[in-house]
Amino acid sequence: MKRTMMSISTAAAFALVLAGCSSASTEDDTTRDESGDIVEEGEVGALAIQVGDCLASVGTGEITSTEGVPCESEHEYEVYHAFDLAGTDFPGDDEVANLASEGCLEAFEPFVGLEYESSIYGFNHLVPTQEGWDQVSDREVLCIINNFDGTLKSGSAEGTAQ
């Protein structure tokens, strides 16, 4: 099964940039506390990533897992929202990208506390591919936030109004 990472890279003109993610794993080698927060870094499978997880990096190309880290540690991404796409048939990569962008943008301001166009943050999303859709009924979109300038961050972007 596969997941594809797509990104929104400009505040004014929503340009999509594709990267990939495939043969996604459900394994999770991180250590989590009772609330599910990562307290000790480790590999987390693409299908095991949860809202609230901080990711050292996602990279480009096809991935099966990435490094989950405590949010107090430097990281590139924080998962701020997740939602499922509807339908029984895979809508195609372009439609998945459009739906993911719309859903992640809609959730951005309530999470950060500031509209996207004024924020220091950008966002990306991990989306299901046709293979994951067909083989394991993967419909989940994961919205991930990062510093717009690409630098690493520590802590959460939640409620920062930046």
Side-chain angles (χ1 to χ4, degrees):
M1 74 224 74
K2 297 181 182 181
R3 288 192 153 213
T4 300
M5 180 167 146
M6 308 219 174
S7 67
I8 299 298
S9 60
T10 158
F14 295 100
L16 294 178
V17 178
L18 247 74
C21 183
S22 97
S23 302
S25 167
T26 58
E27 292 187 27
D28 186 352
D29 293 330
T30 63
T31 302
R32 296 177 182 270
D33 64 16
E34 59 281 348
S35 65
D37 294 335
I38 296 173
V39 294
E40 190 174 313
E41 67 185 57
E43 287 296 306
V44 59
L47 294 178
I49 298 169
Q50 304 172 29
V51 172
D53 284 358
C54 290
L55 309 173
S57 180
V58 175
T60 59
E62 296 187 354
I63 64 167
T64 58
S65 63
T66 189
E67 184 179 3
V69 298
C71 289
E72 298 78 33
S73 301
E74 283 194 338
H75 57 275
E76 188 172 3
Y77 293 105
E78 174 183 3
V79 182
Y80 71 94
H81 183 65
F83 63 97
D84 287 335
L85 299 173
T88 55
D89 294 328
F90 185 73
D93 292 334
D94 290 342
E95 183 64 9
V96 167
N98 290 334
L99 294 168
S101 294
E102 290 170 10
C104 291
L105 181 60
E106 185 177 305
F108 187 92
E109 184 174 350
F111 181 77
V112 173
L114 184 68
E115 71 277 357
Y116 176 72
E117 294 78 10
S118 301
S119 180
I120 65 168
Y121 300 112
F123 69 87
N124 297 299
H125 32 78
L126 292 168
V127 297
T129 62
Q130 183 159 5
E131 182 181 359
W133 189 283
D134 293 341
Q135 290 183 4
V136 295
S137 297
D138 180 17
R139 306 287 191 271
E140 186 175 52
V141 172
L142 296 173
C143 304
I144 53 180
I145 197 166
N146 64 307
N147 285 342
F148 193 75
D149 66 4
T151 60
L152 298 179
K153 63 191 233 36
S154 297
S156 177
E158 184 173 15
T160 59
Q162 295 183 332

